[in-house]
Amino acid sequence: EVSLRRLTVQGTVFLARGISDLRAFETTDYTFATSSVTVNVRDFIVLSSAWQFAQAFLLLLVLLIFPYIFGRDVLALVITPLELIFDRVQSIAANPFSDLQTSEMRQSKSYELDLIKESLNRLTKLLQ
């Protein structure tokens, strides 16, 4: 709600409610030649403050949740396959003549990981 607090047209005061209950930033003064008006904009300021608080809260929420989701994806798509490949290479290094076609060689959901596992199996067969 916008309310007029003071209205003066060509030196004649039509409305002269006090503005002492308002802070300086809750009023807006418009002046043109000899006319002036003072408008109460408290409701707009309250709405603007609520909107800015909501934006800050949303930003905080995004900044807190995004690293968790990103970390989970990195773990599933990068770290775990690399650990599997590392374990496979270490087992081949420990015993190059072992048969790696056991239950350890299960199919994964990653095409690239399956290619690397198959390449390591071929390398092991060449060493045998």
Side-chain angles (χ1 to χ4, degrees), residues 50-64:
W51 179 250
Q52 289 176 1
F53 178 76
Q55 285 179 329
F57 183 74
L58 181 64
L59 182 64
L60 178 72
L61 192 66
V62 166
L63 290 176
L64 288 176

Side-chain angles (χ1 to χ4, degrees), residues 39-123:
V39 181
N40 174 6
V41 290
R42 177 185 290 177
D43 294 334
F44 290 121
I45 291 175
V46 169
L47 182 64
S48 174
S49 299
W51 179 250
Q52 289 176 1
F53 178 76
Q55 285 179 329
F57 183 74
L58 181 64
L59 182 64
L60 178 72
L61 192 66
V62 166
L63 290 176
L64 288 176
I65 290 176
F66 180 74
Y68 169 74
I69 293 172
F70 182 73
R72 187 182 63 191
D73 289 345
V74 165
L75 183 68
L77 298 174
V78 177
I79 304 297
T80 303
L82 286 177
E83 287 177 347
L84 290 172
I85 293 169
F86 181 73
D87 291 342
R88 167 91 26 128
V89 168
Q90 284 209 332
S91 66
I92 289 172
N95 186 4
F97 301 110
S98 66
D99 184 23
L100 295 176
Q101 296 291 340
T102 60
S103 63
E104 177 187 341
M105 185 60 185
R106 66 184 188 276
Q107 291 293 323
S108 68
K109 297 177 184 175
S110 172
Y111 177 71
E112 294 84 4
L113 184 60
D114 290 338
L115 284 176
I116 292 173
K117 284 181 182 179
E118 186 61 35
S119 298
L120 287 174
N121 281 337
R122 288 181 184 169
L123 179 66

